[in-house]
Amino acid sequence: MSYFKLNSKGQTLLTVIVAMTIVLAIGVGVSLRLLSSSQRVSSTDTAARVLAAAEGGAEQFLIKPFTELATLESICQGDIQNPAPECVVDYPGSSSDNIDSIAVVKVSTYGEDNAVEIKIPKDQTAEFNLDGLSGGDASLCWADTSLLSYTIYRNNAFEPYFNGVVNCNGCSHSTLNVNNAATANASGCFTVPLGTNPLGLRITSYGASSRITATLSGGRDFPVQGYEILSTGMLTVPGSQEQAVRTVKVRVSYPFLPGLFDHALYSNDGVIR
Amino acid sequence: MIKAKYISLLLFIFTLGVVFFSSRSVYACHPCAWGYGPGDTYCIGGNLYECRQCTNSPTCIRNNGDETVPPAAATPQNVGDRCKLDPANVPSYKWDWCDNTCAVGVPDVYDVIIDTCVSCTVSSPGQVQLSTPDNGGITGADYDLATPGYQVRIDWHSLNNWGDSCGNATGPDVYELYISTNTPATAATPIIINRSAGSEYVFTGTPGTTYYWAVRAYNGHQYGAYSSEWNFKFNMYPQAEFQTLEGSFPNQPPYNVIEVSSGQFVNYVTRITDVDGNLNSAGLYRRKFTYDNNGQMQWAGAEQLVDQEPCLGSSCNISGGWLPASGDNGYWWLYLKAFDQTNIPGSPYGKCSGDPVPLGNNPTNTNVGWEFCGHRSRAMVQVRSNLNLQGYIWDATSVNSCSSVSLNTIRNNALGNNDVTPSPLQLRFSNPDNGVTPAQNWSPNQNFSYRFNNLIHSTGTSTLAMTTSFMSNDNFRYKLKCLNGNVTNTSVTSAISASFNTVVTNDPNTLHLGFEKTSTGWFSVSGTVYGGYSTGSPIDQSIVEAVPSASNVAPNFPPYMIRSNNFTYAGEATDVKNILGQAALSQSNRFVKNIRPEADTWPNSYSYQAPAGALPVPGAGGTCTGFLTSGNIDVDETYVMSAACFNQAINTLGSNEYEVNSPGGVAVVYITGTNPVIINRPVRSQDRSRILLVSAAPIDVIRAVGYPTPSIGSRAHVELGILAQRNVTFIGTADEINDPDTTIVVEGPLVVGDKTLVPLVKFDRDRGSTNNYPAHMVNYNEDYLVILAKQVRASNALNAYGLSVVNISWEVE
């Protein structure tokens, strides 16, 4: 029979084309998914890098003497675009990881305010700097179930220091046995007279941690309590348009002596007899 | 017939002769016949005469030949003169004859007819039979005879056949005893030829000698045959006596009584001897006695304690101890018996009569007992019962009179409202016989405060003593102050122990005790005190202090641990009180107790290591010897040196004061190693500058530094702040009574701390009787805080002194 006689070779080509189309479709799909994942990994890595840079920058400044921080305060004003070299902490990449990161650090003092907050872990001592003040009172307020002992000491050691113990208002302690201590008022506050030439107000928190806010009478501001180190971490990839940053803020108080210096006789572990 | 008459006549004459010669016929009104004395009877002329003794002295007159006619008064001169007798005594005849003496005043004899006489026949007496001692035997030596020596009682059987039908009418019947060291005893020279009417004789001889003896009888006319001859030898009875005999008590009057407690031995060593070596056995015996209401001894049966059998030869010993049982209380005799082969109890028991004699009041004589017939063979033993001692004890600190138990008696809480909480007070009882008992706690469940059971009685000095562990428990010194009870001869002055005599006479004996609390060396602080917390269980005391009462504290010294008005802080409880039990933390009694610090709280994590930039001494930081005196100590620097180096610096200091380059500065000096820093002299600064010593080494402050009479303002001997990882010791006396301490004054902060080493501040000083002053004064100097804080802030180095901390807050934005 001779009707139309078709060539069967075209069928093979069509089959190939269809198969390639399917493979291509699958490959494009997979590629698109991989690209999306890669973008997310890059973003997470960047965040970690910049946070690490920020933390590292803060730590680098924490180990500087306070005299140096005082100098850096005027230099490191927080200009991220054009920071002074003293304010930059570099974390250059390596051959296996050529991504550079930096921390730009801002140094400033803190605490020059009428009210200052301080956190004291249980059984530990912290100190408000009172250097430069004279007279008036400080009101201390806290809302924790702790017992506070305080000591005001002065520039001139011949002047009597002042100390006492204040119990929280309406609270109870599971273990502490207290006798003849003062009690905070209904607002959870008590007042301490500053006296002449105070140098520091030292507070030890017994029984629990404390978050204490101190407010000076007469609207006065506290003197500098220490330094605030604001460290901003960022990547420095050449040609990169991405400017991811993380910031760490650290407050470090002026150094002070531990609580045992408040005692005439102190035995940390043994019985005194 | 005539021949028969002659023969009859001859027979009559013969018979008459026989009668005349064989039985003498005599007649009355004669002096007593020859050979007869008062009481003798004899026949004369058919009459039986009795020879009598004139009761009155006769008045003799010359015989006028007529016995019926009274003689004329005359003075008798010759034998045969008649005597005028007392008519009352001579009823039949008024006259007598002067016989042998006829002297005025010499009693005379006479005979009177008392009966009709019969004819007597005379023949030889029989042979005597011997009795004792046995022939060939041995005999004992008695001690109980009047004559000392070795004596024997010789016996023979009484003779029934004396050969004279009229008894002693022919003369007295007697025995003749012959004793001789030779045989036959009747030979030429016997020791004894004794004639007596009795059938025994006590012979004194020589021990070990053989004696021969025989006896024959004599009836006045004829001798009997000799008895058989026997022999004997003296036996030496064994002797037994105590060599030593000791009870458990010291020898006390009366020294003849041995005293022992039941449960304790009466120890003895005896000696049993026998000269002639024929011992057989020996024994030790006891016999209990009591006294009745009349004081008479009532005896129980004898019991043998020791049967030493055999006990042969010439000696043996009994030694050992008698252990009275609990039921043996009372009085006893202990005595010895020894037997030889004669089986007769030896001397002194069996052969000795009479009363034992106490050996006398000799306090040095340990061999007490009784002497019995020359031997110490008996002892009187008193067995005393074990007794109990109990009583109340009360706090007599504020009691002036100890005449009665006070209200604050320590006793069972359930008994009343006046009880004192039982304390760890302990007592020990001791006497020479008990030794020292274990420490005795209170007996809170009994009706007394203390009780010692089953004590051995002692006549020696007894002692009740407080135990020292109690004293160290709360820094009080406890002394027994007074005794009260049914105990005699007691007295006590304040002391740790009380001694008394004759403690136990009753059971139980009651002895109430009063104790007094006084202070040991105490410390006084100007500033706050923090006593630490340890994880021990049960919870400990963080601060323990005993302060004198207000009336006992020296003027101007507050009677409190803290002189200032500060709080006291403690990780656990505190026990700070005065001797009256009143709180003595501080006048305001302000405290915070039971603080539970976190483990990482400073200085728990502190290493006491000098910071990296510290200057070593000797070296860049200077020399050891000149460190304190060169004036080159820079307050901007931190130094590190060994304890030995710092000790050299102190020794070089002499009486000078140390010098720091900045008046009013504080230099920090780290001490390394574990050898102690020895502060043997005042270490003072020439100005307000100070040294803060941060020491890994222990620190010892010796006794030589101190004030005999301190005041509140006394300058510190040690002008150093101290932070120490190991003990800080204020060395004290070992004899606060005879060598009391003085008062040491130091500055604070005085700090010790290490979670592993758990160091202590050891306040070991004790002023003894002058403890009205504190033995230790700690004066807080805030310069260390103020000046060092400013130096820390101003330092160009981070934590240049290794001591500062900062407060850090951290936020991530």
Side-chain angles (χ1 to χ4, degrees), chain A residues 122-123 129 157-158 177 179-180 247 249 251 253 256 260-261 263-269 271-272, chain B residues 528 530 532 541-542 544 588-589 593 596 602 604 688 750 752 754 780 782-783 793 805 807 809 811 813:
Chain A
K122 177 177 177 288
D123 305 317
N129 179 25
F158 288 122
N177 180 7
N179 194 50
N180 284 340
T247 301
K249 184 171 74 176
R251 283 187 171 183
S253 70
F256 58 93
L260 57 88
F261 277 86
H263 298 282
L265 180 60
Y266 186 102
S267 177
N268 191 65
D269 309 293
V271 177
I272 296 175
Chain B
T528 63
Y530 179 90
Q541 303 284 352
S542 288
V544 179
S588 60
N589 197 30
K593 299 178 183 177
R596 295 289 189 271
W602 204 99
N604 288 339
R688 284 190 61 191
L750 170 57
V752 292
D754 186 280
Y780 181 65
E782 60 263 37
D783 273 359
R793 290 187 190 186
V805 294
N807 194 13
S809 63
E811 294 179 20
E813 296 179 343

Side-chain angles (χ1 to χ4, degrees), chain B residues 344-595:
Chain B
I344 300 172
S347 174
Y349 180 78
K351 307 299 290 185
C352 181
S353 63
D355 295 327
V357 178
L359 286 176
N361 296 330
N362 181 2
T364 63
N365 181 12
T366 58
N367 296 319
V368 296
W370 293 65
E371 190 176 77
F372 192 53
C373 297
H375 295 279
R376 188 178 299 134
S377 62
R378 291 191 176 194
M380 186 184 294
V381 178
Q382 182 181 6
V383 179
R384 295 183 180 274
S385 60
N386 289 355
L387 303 172
N388 303 312
L389 178 65
Q390 68 183 40
Y392 297 137
I393 184 164
W394 73 95
D395 186 349
T397 301
S398 57
V399 175
N400 294 325
S401 173
C402 294
S403 59
S404 64
V405 176
S406 71
L407 295 180
N408 52 348
T409 300
I410 297 177
R411 55 190 295 189
N412 183 7
N413 285 333
L415 293 179
N417 299 322
N418 301 320
D419 305 328
V420 174
T421 301
S423 71
L425 178 60
Q426 292 183 319
L427 290 172
R428 292 180 190 273
F429 176 84
S430 64
N431 67 27
D433 305 287
N434 280 283
V436 180
T437 65
Q440 176 75 56
N441 288 317
W442 302 120
S443 301
N445 296 320
Q446 303 294 330
N447 190 18
F448 39 77
S449 299
Y450 75 95
R451 180 182 173 94
F452 292 99
N453 291 325
N454 203 31
L455 295 176
I456 297 172
H457 171 80
S458 174
T459 54
T461 300
S462 299
T463 300
L464 275 172
M466 299 280 188
T467 57
T468 55
S469 59
F470 184 43
M471 294 195 306
S472 62
N473 197 49
D474 60 1
N475 280 9
F476 285 118
R477 178 180 295 118
Y478 286 78
K479 300 177 180 179
L480 288 174
K481 184 179 183 181
C482 45
L483 308 177
N484 184 263
N486 55 350
V487 176
T488 58
N489 300 325
T490 58
S491 63
V492 60
T493 55
S494 291
I496 299 301
S497 61
S499 299
F500 40 90
N501 294 322
T502 321
V503 61
V504 274
T505 55
N506 303 305
D507 184 22
N509 194 292
T510 300
L511 178 60
H512 304 306
L513 308 173
F515 67 82
E516 177 185 35
K517 289 186 292 187
T518 60
S519 292
T520 56
W522 52 294
F523 59 90
S524 171
V525 181
S526 170
T528 63
V529 176
Y530 179 90
Y533 165 73
S534 66
T535 57
S537 178
I539 293 176
D540 297 325
Q541 303 284 352
S542 288
I543 304 171
V544 179
E545 167 78 310
V547 179
S549 61
S551 60
N552 292 329
V553 174
N556 301 320
F557 279 87
Y560 303 103
M561 180 186 75
I562 296 179
R563 300 198 302 274
S564 52
N565 191 25
N566 290 107
F567 268 80
T568 300
Y569 301 88
E572 299 171 293
T574 64
D575 184 13
V576 180
K577 54 182 178 294
N578 63 24
I579 60 175
L580 300 177
Q582 300 162 335
L585 274 173
S586 61
Q587 186 170 14
S588 60
N589 197 30
R590 296 175 172 177
F591 58 78
V592 181
K593 299 178 183 177
N594 297 339
I595 299 169

Side-chain angles (χ1 to χ4, degrees), chain A residues 51 54-56 58-59 62-68 110 117-131 147-151 153-161 163-166 175-182 199-202 206-207 224 230 245-273, chain B residues 472-475 523 525-534 540-545 565-567 569 572 588-598 600-604 688 692 723 747-756 758-763 778-790 792-798 803-813:
Chain A
L51 178 59
E55 291 176 341
E59 289 175 354
L62 276 177
I63 62 175
K64 293 181 184 297
F66 282 81
T67 52
E68 187 176 344
Y110 77 92
E117 182 184 277
I118 195 169
K119 296 177 183 176
I120 310 173
K122 177 177 177 288
D123 305 317
Q124 299 216 20
T125 301
E127 185 172 315
F128 290 100
N129 179 25
L130 303 179
D131 193 12
L147 178 81
L148 304 182
S149 73
Y150 63 90
T151 300
Y153 67 107
R154 309 179 189 287
N155 269 295
N156 189 342
F158 288 122
E159 296 171 354
Y161 68 100
N163 60 14
V165 172
V166 181
T175 59
L176 290 179
N177 180 7
V178 186
N179 194 50
N180 284 340
L199 188 58
L201 170 58
R202 297 160 59 79
Y206 290 113
V224 173
L230 190 66
V245 298
R246 296 296 298 271
T247 301
V248 171
K249 184 171 74 176
V250 179
R251 283 187 171 183
V252 55
S253 70
Y254 279 137
F256 58 93
L257 294 171
L260 57 88
F261 277 86
D262 297 334
H263 298 282
L265 180 60
Y266 186 102
S267 177
N268 191 65
D269 309 293
V271 177
I272 296 175
R273 63 168 67 248
Chain B
S472 62
N473 197 49
D474 60 1
N475 280 9
F523 59 90
V525 181
S526 170
T528 63
V529 176
Y530 179 90
Y533 165 73
S534 66
D540 297 325
Q541 303 284 352
S542 288
I543 304 171
V544 179
E545 167 78 310
N565 191 25
N566 290 107
F567 268 80
Y569 301 88
E572 299 171 293
S588 60
N589 197 30
R590 296 175 172 177
F591 58 78
V592 181
K593 299 178 183 177
N594 297 339
I595 299 169
R596 295 289 189 271
E598 301 294 336
D600 58 351
T601 302
W602 204 99
N604 288 339
R688 284 190 61 191
L692 178 66
L723 276 64
E747 287 187 343
L750 170 57
V751 178
V752 292
D754 186 280
K755 207 64 181 175
T756 302
V758 191
L760 301 173
V761 178
K762 300 177 69 175
F763 292 121
V778 182
N779 297 337
Y780 181 65
N781 183 351
E782 60 263 37
D783 273 359
Y784 294 95
L785 171 65
V786 174
I787 298 173
L788 196 56
K790 291 196 288 189
V792 165
R793 290 187 190 186
S795 174
N796 290 328
L798 185 68
L803 296 170
S804 60
V805 294
V806 293
N807 194 13
I808 297 175
S809 63
W810 190 286
E811 294 179 20
V812 177
E813 296 179 343

